[in-house]
Amino acid sequence: MSMNNSPNVFLDPNANRFQVNIINESRDNNEASQEDVGSDPPHYEETSFTDEAHNRLRISYRPGKRELYDNFLQSGEKTEASLHPYDTHNKMYYLQTFGHNTMDPVPKIDYYRNTGSVSGNKLNRPSLLEIHEQLAKVSGKERYNFSLCPLLDTKNVFVFCVILQNIAVSTGSVERVANGESTAGDETTASKEEENKTGLVKFGWVKGVLVRCMLNIWGVMLFIRLSWIVGQAGIGLGVIIILLATMVTSITGLSTSAIATNGFVRGGGAYYLISRSLGPEFGGSIGLIFAFANAVAVAMYVVGFAETVVELLKESDTIMVDESNDIRIIGTITVVCLLGISVAGMEWEAKAQVILLVVLLIAIANFFIGTVIPTNNEKKARGFFNYQASIFAENFGPDFRGGEGFFSVFAIFFPAATGILAGANISGDLKDPQGAIPKGTMLAILITTVAYIGVAICAASCVVRDATGNINDTVVSGMSCNGSSACNLGYDFSRCRNQPCDYGLMNNFQVMSMVSGFGPLITAGIFSATLSSALASLVSAPKVFQALCKDNVYKGLHFFAKGYGKNNEPIRGYVLTFVIAMAFILIAELNTIAPIISNFFLASYALINFSCFHASYAKSPGWRPAFRYYNMWVSLFGALLCCGVMFVINWWAALITYAIELFLYIYVTYKKPEVNWGSSTQALYYINALDSALALTAVEDHVKNFRPQCIALTGAPMIRPALLDITHTFTKNNGLCICCEVYTGPRKLCVKEMNSGMAKKQAWLTKNKRKAFYAAVAADSFRDGVKSLLQASGLGRMKPNTLVIGFKKDWRNAAASQVENYVGVIHDAFDFELGMIIIRISQGFDISQVLQVQEELEKLEQERLALEATIKENEFEEEKSGICGFFRKARKLNISKHETKKGNTINTIQSMHVGEFNQKLLEASTQFKKKQGKGTIDIWWLFDDGGLTILIPYILTIRKKWKNCKLRIFTGGKANRIEEEKLVMASLLSKFRIKFADINIICDINMKPNKESWKFFEEMIEPYRLHESCKDITTAEKLKRETPWKITDAELEAFKEKSYRQVRLNELLQEHSRAANLIVLSLPVARKGVVSDYLYMAWLEILSKNLPPTLMVRGNHKNVLTFYS
């Protein structure tokens, strides 16, 4: 329908779709007149919605019409909330795109959301069918009801006069609206409304990521072990150790940033990033151990805090019980307090983290200030001399002691660099995870690295390695210093060479407290570092675990997926983490478990790096991270580096980590969770398959590598399961199998039905473990469809070489065109040089009627159950008083039960009848799924077709279901050379390495069949004979023109010997192979254009009649067997 600016369009009763034509109102009457004349093209004004106008339509209106318009809006009529979902441009009214009436929407983010999106509502764009097809005519009930007609002015432009009461849209659109999936909503507005309604707390990149990462990275190691590390390794190697650890975490941070910016990130941290990149197998395995590692890390950090407190208690001589039990008591109290903060909500936890960070920063600043405060004699005796170049030079080189080396010192320091995922672990609580995670993580790594290097260099520039702590150990005049910096500064610590000392970088873990301006602040820093790390781990473990449980990767853990409160807090996860932490505080050997926990974190880092590499390597178009500062090979190097560091830290812990991860990976792979996250693993599958297919194209075919690659005309695979089963038996793990279906009829309906069923039928094949593909075509006729499939199916060398079809059992009752199509398919297969297999079983293959009956019975059963439930609910709904009421209820109850019982009886009788009627058909449809007992596969190899007739049964015998069946060979020969013929056949089969149980030479194939058999054949073809010899020439010619498909007398006479042979072969098959499990028989070939379709079908009918399951096979007369090596 063309655009028309006249308002009369809206009054046209024949209009079948809604149009909105809104233009700017003219400034004066002259301009309006000019518009009426049409000298200038009209200007279209978009209808928009704004918060300032309180979601009203901003429209143009004529003077004097505003009051009427306001009354309209106040009358309760539909406004924005009732708009059509095809709301396309800045919430403009539907069907208005770029000023034109169309259903085509402009790009909008709401079309790309997931159905369960929490940041906005998903919209469904019009389907291609809705845009491409003609609009259906609208019934009278669905026509638009236009009111407010006084707003129309035929002399000027109309304003807004449409009230939609029944919007005519396609069925799919109505369903989507009914399902609530098409409500318009802007992402920002939706998020704000959600926050206002629920009080949802979201963090920015500073409080959510930077603060958490800094607190988690700055641990106890900064205050009590860094001085020892720089004393052992020296300033030079100490800085290298810090930078090496930083390199691992920086590469991991870059990989994390790349993955986090490749799409919207939900809660789950490391688990979410890995699982969405590498799939549920890797994500599920690492997610579980990562959550467990965080839970145990809570215990480690709390014990570190408790040990510091106990040391203070020892100094003041206020031990409660003993050191071990005091650690347990203080640890338990601490964990309970931290749990209370966590359960109180993320907002309280974030406030606590900020306070702890402030304390930690003050403590670090206190250390740097202390290095410039002039020292005193007591501190000098303990090795602190302020900044001295001689001390810097002396401590620059390494001085490894106590069996320590570079890698052992590195292993001790590396856990101090972990914690970079603290921000990513609460990704679900971030306002903008894509921006916050890269920015906060990388800046935290930079700041903490600078702090570590600064503290290490400052400590090593001020404090000597060994000191006695005795202020009297001064240098005696005339004493040789031998280059000792302490000696040059007036102190003699030479006795530390022969006996252990208590002070200096190598001996005193409290160097930072000694150097600092105010020692208690360092203790506060230790408390802050331990508690903040414990709190971060206590929050991270439940969050990651909840995300893992929500995905239902481990079905038994789904109980922990439930969240509570405005932030969906994982209370159950908190309790579980608390229990694990308490267990390790009370009973675990933390010194033993610590290396395993470190390796768990490193395994997560390794997989994050590998995820980034894998996604880049797969070259999926969906891999488009906004963070560009990464490199796939650097990520791979980072993954290998993490694996190497795992062994450096502790080799047996690394092996345990790999073993646990492998076990969980195998478990998840075996369970196959029903998820599809578009992982890079899927992308790589495609790349590998494509590369393999292209590589295979360059490989020439060889007879030794021949395998049956079949097109099976099953229709819908569930309709003819037996045909699929027997085909699948000789193609499973061996060759290509494509289940094909041809849709005939009106093209529009066929294409719609075909497209809607493709995924469902392929899913059925997968669910039933059938290694086959499903393909369908829509064509004018069955033969045309099959011809298309024969020519276009397959890819490269993976193209079908064999056509498998079921025998057309109803050919005698079918229309002549159907028989012509069926036989034409066989001719086409031979034309395209494909092998041909026709399979016949006594009951036929089609079980569609059985499936339909089963479906109806299931519906009846559901209705019956629903009826019973309704009756039970309503039995005592109304309370009755007295004996009469009681009897009325009893009578009602009895009647209801009687009716239900009667209905059940009817259903049972129908089910029994249907079951008896279809029992044989059902058994036949599953006969090839069962294991075949001891028996034979009889091969009637009458004609050499290249070997396909012998190869198919051989493949069957190497399958588990057919391995108990022996091959018996039947072939034609002369009566006077039976033994020679046997030897020749035995020699041929032995060269082909095909085992057989017996060889039978049939000498009387060419004998005439008995009279009864021939009479049956003649009676079968009688309805299809022309009998032109009994008619005059004119009548005969007329009949040939009218019924060209009939069998002429000349044709029957010309092929009488061949007809005899088919009838005789059936007699021989009845005699020799009646008890066989399966018969494989050479398929007779009819010359195209010479043998009529009905005569050929009669041959196939008589040849395979009243026999066990029969495969009529004809190869393409090219070798499929060879005896050459």
Side-chain angles (χ1 to χ4, degrees):
M1 185 180 294
S2 61
M3 289 290 295
N4 188 350
N5 295 329
S6 171
N8 292 329
V9 170
F10 293 88
L11 304 178
D12 182 7
N14 297 320
N16 61 5
R17 98 176 189 180
F18 176 54
Q19 289 185 335
V20 177
N21 304 314
I22 302 176
I23 62 176
N24 291 326
E25 187 173 3
S26 54
R27 296 182 180 177
D28 51 45
N29 293 333
N30 294 334
E31 291 176 359
S33 301
Q34 291 177 0
E35 285 184 352
D36 290 338
V37 175
S39 57
D40 293 328
H43 301 282
Y44 291 86
E45 177 185 290
E46 295 179 354
T47 313
S48 59
F49 303 84
T50 59
D51 294 334
E52 293 78 10
H54 303 288
N55 287 337
R56 286 187 173 185
L57 296 171
R58 186 171 60 217
I59 60 175
S60 301
Y61 49 86
R62 295 192 62 205
K65 299 295 184 181
R66 177 172 188 140
E67 183 179 356
L68 182 60
Y69 168 69
D70 290 338
N71 291 334
F72 162 70
L73 286 179
Q74 294 171 5
S75 64
E77 298 292 344
K78 298 179 182 180
T79 54
E80 182 186 4
S82 61
L83 292 181
H84 191 283
Y86 300 149
D87 178 5
T88 59
H89 186 60
N90 192 26
K91 291 193 175 178
M92 181 181 62
Y93 212 76
Y94 98 117
L95 300 180
Q96 276 284 329
T97 301
F98 306 130
H100 295 282
N101 290 345
T102 176
M103 294 181 72
D104 246 345
V106 298
K108 191 172 186 178
I109 191 172
D110 295 320
Y111 294 124
Y112 298 89
R113 297 189 189 280
N114 289 333
T115 303
S117 176
V118 296
S119 59
N121 295 318
K122 174 180 173 58
L123 294 185
N124 289 83
R125 69 177 63 81
S127 69
L128 186 61
L129 187 66
E130 291 168 344
I131 294 175
H132 184 231
E133 295 291 341
Q134 289 183 346
L135 287 171
K137 289 186 178 180
V138 185
S139 64
K141 292 182 179 180
E142 292 177 327
R143 292 196 183 280
Y144 307 109
N145 187 359
F146 300 99
S147 58
L148 214 65
C149 291
L151 288 178
L152 288 176
D153 188 342
T154 55
K155 294 183 180 180
N156 211 327
V157 184
F158 86 101
V159 186
F160 178 80
C161 66
V162 184
I163 301 175
L164 296 183
Q165 293 184 350
N166 292 294
I167 301 177
V169 293
S170 68
T171 304
S173 301
V174 173
E175 291 175 354
R176 288 194 291 270
V177 175
N179 292 334
E181 292 185 359
S182 300
T183 306
D186 182 76
E187 182 174 9
T188 306
T189 305
S191 299
K192 289 181 179 178
E193 288 178 356
E194 189 174 0
E195 287 187 20
N196 293 334
K197 290 180 181 178
T198 64
L200 188 65
V201 178
K202 294 286 185 178
F203 302 113
W205 71 274
V206 176
K207 188 184 290 187
V209 181
L210 180 65
V211 171
R212 294 174 185 277
C213 288
M214 289 171 61
L215 284 171
N216 229 23
I217 295 172
W218 278 334
V220 182
M221 196 72 65
L222 175 66
F223 296 101
I224 63 177
R225 283 298 176 90
L226 189 58
S227 59
W228 177 86
I229 289 169
V230 76
Q232 288 277 356
I235 296 175
L237 289 182
V239 171
I240 291 175
I241 286 174
I242 295 172
L243 292 178
L244 183 60
T246 301
M247 182 169 64
V248 175
T249 55
S250 297
I251 294 174
T252 306
L254 293 174
S255 299
T256 303
S257 302
I259 298 172
T261 57
N262 190 53
F264 183 76
V265 178
R266 296 184 184 275
Y271 160 72
Y272 186 88
L273 298 178
I274 294 172
S275 62
R276 268 49 176 186
S277 296
L278 292 179
E281 296 83 7
F282 280 107
S285 59
I286 204 63
L288 198 59
I289 66 175
F290 186 73
F292 177 77
N294 274 285
V296 178
V298 175
M300 292 176 58
Y301 295 129
V302 167
V303 167
F305 168 78
E307 286 178 347
T308 307
V309 175
V310 169
E311 287 295 326
L312 294 176
L313 293 177
K314 280 177 62 179
E315 292 178 4
S316 60
D317 196 21
T318 54
I319 294 293
M320 291 179 287
V321 182
D322 55 56
E323 289 188 24
S324 299
N325 286 318
D326 281 8
I327 290 174
R328 292 188 177 97
I329 293 169
I330 295 170
T332 301
I333 295 172
T334 305
V335 170
V336 171
C337 294
L338 294 177
L339 179 65
I341 294 173
S342 301
V343 172
M346 290 296 295
E347 190 173 4
W348 284 97
E349 187 267 348
K351 291 177 181 178
Q353 292 280 27
V354 172
I355 294 172
L356 292 173
L357 178 63
V358 171
V359 175
L360 194 59
L361 290 174
I362 292 173
I364 295 173
N366 177 49
F367 166 77
F368 286 114
I369 292 171
T371 59
V372 297
I373 296 176
T375 184
N376 54 38
N377 290 333
E378 184 180 356
K379 289 186 178 182
K380 286 181 179 179
R382 295 181 178 183
F384 174 50
F385 296 94
N386 293 114
Y387 291 105
Q388 300 292 335
S390 59
I391 296 177
F392 179 87
E394 184 180 71
N395 290 340
F396 189 83
D399 184 15
F400 295 112
R401 303 177 190 174
E404 300 293 348
F406 178 82
F407 289 108
S408 63
V409 174
F410 173 77
I412 292 171
F413 172 78
F414 184 79
T418 60
I420 61 170
L421 296 180
N425 287 339
I426 63 161
S427 53
D429 296 299
L430 300 176
K431 290 180 182 177
D432 178 22
Q434 291 180 291
I437 291 175
K439 193 187 303 181
T441 303
M442 298 310 297
L443 187 57
I445 293 173
L446 176 63
I447 294 174
T448 53
T449 301
V450 171
Y452 273 127
I453 293 176
V455 170
I457 293 176
C458 289
S461 301
C462 297
V463 184
V464 296
R465 281 192 169 102
D466 298 294
T468 61
N470 189 346
I471 60 174
N472 296 320
D473 288 340
T474 56
V475 176
V476 180
S477 60
M479 179 178 175
S480 176
C481 291
N482 295 323
S484 171
S485 59
C487 181
N488 293 329
L489 294 170
Y491 281 82
D492 178 18
F493 299 143
S494 57
R495 64 187 175 96
C496 293
R497 299 174 186 170
N498 303 318
Q499 64 184 45
C501 294
D502 296 329
Y503 298 96
L505 294 176
M506 303 290 283
N507 310 304
N508 184 14
F509 290 155
Q510 302 298 325
V511 167
M512 287 192 68
S513 296
M514 178 189 67
V515 173
S516 65
F518 184 62
L521 281 179
I522 298 299
T523 303
I526 295 173
F527 289 170
S528 175
T530 52
L531 293 177
S532 63
S533 298
L535 190 57
S537 297
L538 185 58
V539 171
S540 297
K543 293 283 185 181
V544 173
F545 192 59
Q546 183 187 36
L548 176 68
C549 297
K550 276 184 177 180
D551 289 335
N552 212 17
V553 176
Y554 302 99
K555 296 186 182 298
L557 301 177
H558 193 66
F559 172 79
F560 295 97
K562 184 175 177 59
Y564 297 87
K566 58 187 179 182
N567 267 52
N568 195 33
E569 296 290 346
I571 303 297
R572 297 174 180 178
Y574 283 133
V575 174
L576 179 63
T577 304
F578 171 76
V579 171
I580 294 173
M582 284 298 302
F584 280 95
I585 288 172
L586 297 176
I587 64 174
E589 286 290 336
L590 292 183
N591 290 335
T592 303
I593 203 72
I596 300 178
I597 300 307
S598 297
N599 276 318
F600 280 0
F601 285 120
L602 274 168
S604 304
Y605 296 169
L607 277 181
I608 287 175
N609 284 310
F610 184 73
S611 299
C612 183
F613 163 76
H614 200 271
S616 303
Y617 183 75
K619 299 175 183 176
S620 171
W623 174 248
R624 303 184 301 274
F627 185 82
R628 297 294 181 184
Y629 305 104
Y630 76 97
N631 181 275
M632 60 183 288
W633 300 111
V634 172
S635 296
L636 179 61
F637 173 73
L640 297 175
L641 194 60
C642 289
C643 294
V645 171
M646 290 173 67
F647 282 96
V648 167
I649 291 177
N650 194 302
W651 65 268
W652 57 263
L655 293 178
I656 291 175
T657 304
Y658 286 132
I660 294 173
E661 188 175 340
L662 180 62
F663 169 77
L664 294 174
Y665 178 87
I666 293 172
Y667 174 82
V668 177
T669 303
Y670 175 75
K671 288 297 183 179
K672 293 181 179 177
E674 296 179 359
V675 294
N676 182 12
W677 295 324
S679 65
S680 59
T681 306
Q682 295 174 331
L684 198 60
Y685 283 158
Y686 176 83
I687 292 294
N688 291 338
L690 183 62
D691 290 342
S692 298
L694 291 171
L696 188 63
T697 305
V699 178
E700 294 294 331
D701 289 332
H702 194 281
V703 64
K704 287 195 295 185
N705 295 322
F706 177 86
R707 61 196 68 224
Q709 303 197 103
C710 300
I711 278 188
L713 299 184
T714 59
M718 64 284 291
I719 298 299
R720 296 177 178 83
L723 181 62
L724 173 60
D725 290 338
I726 188 64
T727 308
H728 186 256
T729 303
F730 55 78
T731 60
K732 180 183 179 182
N733 298 327
N734 189 57
L736 180 69
C737 180
I738 306 177
C739 299
C740 296
E741 184 172 10
V742 178
Y743 289 87
T744 58
R747 183 174 181 80
K748 180 179 178 180
L749 296 177
C750 287
V751 171
K752 183 178 179 180
E753 184 180 358
M754 180 180 70
N755 291 338
S756 62
M758 293 284 285
K760 176 184 176 183
K761 290 164 185 175
Q762 184 63 57
W764 185 91
L765 291 170
T766 304
K767 181 181 179 181
N768 289 273
K769 298 180 179 179
R770 296 293 180 265
K771 295 185 177 181
F773 299 96
Y774 172 78
V777 293
D780 295 332
S781 68
F782 176 73
R783 183 178 182 180
D784 289 341
V786 175
K787 196 181 296 185
S788 299
L789 289 167
L790 294 178
Q791 295 178 87
S793 296
L795 183 68
R797 295 288 181 188
M798 294 184 294
K799 290 185 69 69
N801 53 34
T802 306
L803 175 64
V804 181
I805 61 174
F807 179 71
K808 189 171 180 59
K809 191 179 178 183
D810 63 342
W811 66 275
R812 281 183 281 183
N813 300 320
S817 60
Q818 293 182 5
V819 177
E820 180 184 2
N821 280 333
Y822 183 84
V823 177
V825 164
I826 300 174
H827 289 310
D828 293 336
F830 291 143
D831 287 343
F832 296 129
E833 296 188 340
L834 268 70
M836 188 74 210
I837 301 177
I838 302 177
I839 307 175
R840 181 174 186 179
I841 58 176
S842 57
Q843 298 297 321
F845 292 106
D846 193 343
I847 63 168
S848 56
Q849 292 182 351
V850 177
L851 295 178
Q852 186 176 357
V853 170
Q854 288 179 346
E855 186 178 350
E856 291 297 328
L857 290 176
E858 288 176 1
K859 289 181 180 178
L860 289 173
E861 180 66 15
Q862 291 175 358
E863 291 175 1
R864 184 184 67 81
L865 293 174
L867 179 62
E868 287 184 352
T870 304
I871 291 174
K872 288 179 181 179
E873 289 177 2
N874 296 330
E875 275 177 351
F876 303 102
E877 188 177 12
E878 296 180 0
E879 293 294 329
K880 301 292 183 179
S881 61
I883 298 177
C884 294
F886 172 79
F887 282 114
R888 279 199 299 270
K889 285 193 287 184
R891 186 168 64 252
K892 180 182 178 183
L893 182 63
N894 289 334
I895 292 172
S896 300
K897 289 184 176 179
H898 178 72
E899 290 177 350
T900 304
K901 184 176 180 182
K902 182 179 178 181
N904 288 341
T905 305
I906 294 173
N907 286 339
T908 304
I909 293 172
Q910 290 177 347
S911 300
M912 290 175 61
H913 176 70
V914 171
E916 291 172 1
F917 183 77
N918 293 302
Q919 187 62 34
K920 291 183 179 179
L921 183 58
L922 285 172
E923 289 178 357
S925 68
T926 60
Q927 61 181 309
F928 298 124
K929 291 181 180 177
K930 303 173 184 176
K931 187 173 183 179
Q932 304 296 316
K934 290 185 177 180
T936 63
I937 298 177
D938 287 0
I939 306 171
W940 290 70
W941 196 11
L942 305 177
F943 309 105
D944 194 331
D945 58 351
L948 188 64
T949 306
I950 199 75
L951 180 63
I952 294 295
Y954 166 74
I955 294 174
L956 289 176
T957 58
I958 62 177
R959 302 299 189 189
K960 185 185 296 185
K961 294 176 182 176
W962 294 85
K963 67 179 182 179
N964 293 327
C965 295
K966 306 296 182 184
L967 298 182
R968 292 199 305 172
I969 313 298
F970 294 83
T971 188
K974 297 179 180 178
N976 57 353
R977 299 187 68 246
I978 291 180
E979 294 302 322
E980 290 85 347
E981 298 284 357
K982 279 188 177 181
L983 289 174
V984 170
M985 180 57 68
S987 174
L988 179 61
L989 293 175
S990 64
K991 287 183 178 180
F992 289 148
R993 286 93 59 202
I994 293 177
K995 295 181 180 180
F996 56 90
D998 192 16
I999 295 177
N1000 295 276
I1001 306 299
I1002 307 300
C1003 306
D1004 51 354
I1005 292 178
N1006 292 324
M1007 289 180 58
K1008 286 186 178 182
N1010 60 49
K1011 293 181 179 180
E1012 291 78 7
S1013 300
W1014 182 249
K1015 183 179 180 182
F1016 177 84
F1017 179 77
E1018 287 185 321
E1019 289 175 352
M1020 182 173 59
I1021 64 173
E1022 179 61 30
Y1024 316 108
R1025 291 187 61 182
L1026 190 63
H1027 290 294
E1028 78 280 4
S1029 58
C1030 302
K1031 301 176 178 62
D1032 59 82
I1033 297 176
T1034 304
T1035 305
E1037 290 298 327
K1038 182 180 179 182
L1039 288 174
K1040 283 183 181 181
R1041 287 193 302 271
E1042 293 175 352
T1043 55
W1045 45 269
K1046 285 199 171 184
I1047 305 170
T1048 64
D1049 295 339
E1051 178 191 359
L1052 190 61
E1053 185 64 30
F1055 294 103
K1056 194 169 188 178
E1057 292 296 327
K1058 199 164 186 177
S1059 300
Y1060 280 156
R1061 185 187 304 143
Q1062 313 311 322
V1063 180
R1064 176 58 182 160
L1065 277 173
N1066 182 260
E1067 293 177 349
L1068 294 170
L1069 287 162
Q1070 298 282 353
E1071 179 183 347
H1072 295 281
S1073 299
R1074 183 73 178 173
N1077 292 50
L1078 184 72
I1079 297 174
V1080 181
L1081 173 66
S1082 291
L1083 174 70
V1085 178
R1087 290 194 178 274
K1088 189 168 57 173
V1090 179
V1091 178
S1092 63
D1093 298 335
Y1094 277 92
L1095 180 59
Y1096 185 59
M1097 290 302 300
W1099 287 351
L1100 300 182
E1101 172 74 33
I1102 197 65
L1103 182 61
S1104 57
K1105 187 174 180 60
N1106 296 330
L1107 291 174
T1110 303
L1111 273 67
M1112 293 176 277
V1113 181
R1114 174 68 69 155
N1116 62 358
H1117 287 243
K1118 294 180 181 178
N1119 290 345
V1120 300
L1121 296 172
T1122 182
F1123 52 84
Y1124 295 106
S1125 59

